Amino acid sequence: MSQTALSPAIDHPAPTTQSVPAAAQPVELTLEERLTLVKAEMTARLDEAAVAYEVNTAHIPTDPVDLADVVTVPLTPTLQPPPASYPTPVAALLQRAHHRLLTGGWCSGALVDEDGARCMLGAIRAEARGDRGLEADAASVLLDAIRRKFGDDVDSVPSFNDAHGSARTPLRMVDQAAGLADARGL
């Protein structure tokens, strides 16, 4: 008996070529559309992971937590006294200016803003209490500290202050300038 006689006859349809209508052809997605799809997929994955976590940890016994046992800080912040002052006048002035920026707030674009926050030079001027010579010496030491860290292309203390969007770097530079003035005996 031949092999063809034992095997069942398989009827293969003849291949046909059909043209795909224009609406069914793949469409190139824009970046926004692709990002939306990826966001939806990631949200679904995170939801699945959250459910899996809840299922996997449901057997673990837990006691309710009383927030009074966890939160132990006072509800109203208390201001800390300024640290011991440097013995030299310029260093002490810069240290007071640093403390004023910490407690009163920092701003850019003005010596003092409408909320009372001050820029670096505004804090120095307020703490100098009218002593223009002391103010000029402190600003000079501060500019020197800034140029040591950021290069000689820094034009002035106000331009450096206004170039920053947050208080972190200006505050750090006033603090470093106080140490530099103390080291110089100013």
Side-chain angles (χ1 to χ4, degrees):
M1 202 174 207
S2 75
Q3 184 72 13
T4 56
L6 291 176
S7 61
I10 300 175
D11 185 24
H12 293 289
T16 60
T17 15
Q18 297 177 347
S19 65
V20 177
Q25 291 180 355
V27 177
E28 186 70 28
L29 298 176
T30 66
L31 177 62
E32 289 298 320
E33 293 168 334
R34 290 188 308 219
L35 288 174
T36 302
L37 290 174
V38 168
K39 181 180 176 185
E41 180 183 354
M42 292 307 296
T43 301
R45 285 184 181 181
L46 287 172
D47 290 343
E48 289 175 17
V51 169
Y53 174 79
E54 291 296 324
V55 169
N56 291 336
T57 59
H59 68 281
I60 300 173
T62 58
D63 295 327
V65 176
D66 184 13
L67 288 181
D69 294 336
V70 177
V71 180
T72 59
V73 296
L75 295 178
T76 56
T78 57
L79 294 177
Q80 299 296 321
S85 183
Y86 283 110
T88 58
V90 174
L93 169 62
L94 286 165
Q95 186 178 33
R96 288 193 312 270
H98 179 258
H99 185 72
R100 179 178 286 261
L101 290 171
L102 282 173
T103 58
W106 171 86
C107 72
S108 69
L111 285 174
V112 182
D113 71 1
E114 62 275 355
D115 296 327
R118 297 181 179 271
C119 72
M120 298 164 79
L121 191 58
I124 291 172
R125 186 165 290 168
E127 292 299 326
R129 297 180 182 94
D131 187 343
R132 294 292 183 178
L134 187 59
E135 177 186 329
D137 289 344
S140 175
V141 172
L142 178 56
L143 184 59
D144 189 35
I146 291 169
R147 285 181 174 162
R148 283 179 167 206
K149 181 82 172 172
F150 295 97
D152 290 334
D153 57 334
V154 177
D155 294 332
S156 64
V157 172
S159 67
F160 177 81
N161 184 82
D162 294 347
H164 290 85
S166 74
R168 189 174 63 99
T169 302
L171 280 168
R172 184 173 34 123
M173 292 313 304
V174 173
D175 188 43
Q176 288 178 7
L180 180 62
D182 184 53
R184 290 181 177 174
L186 299 175

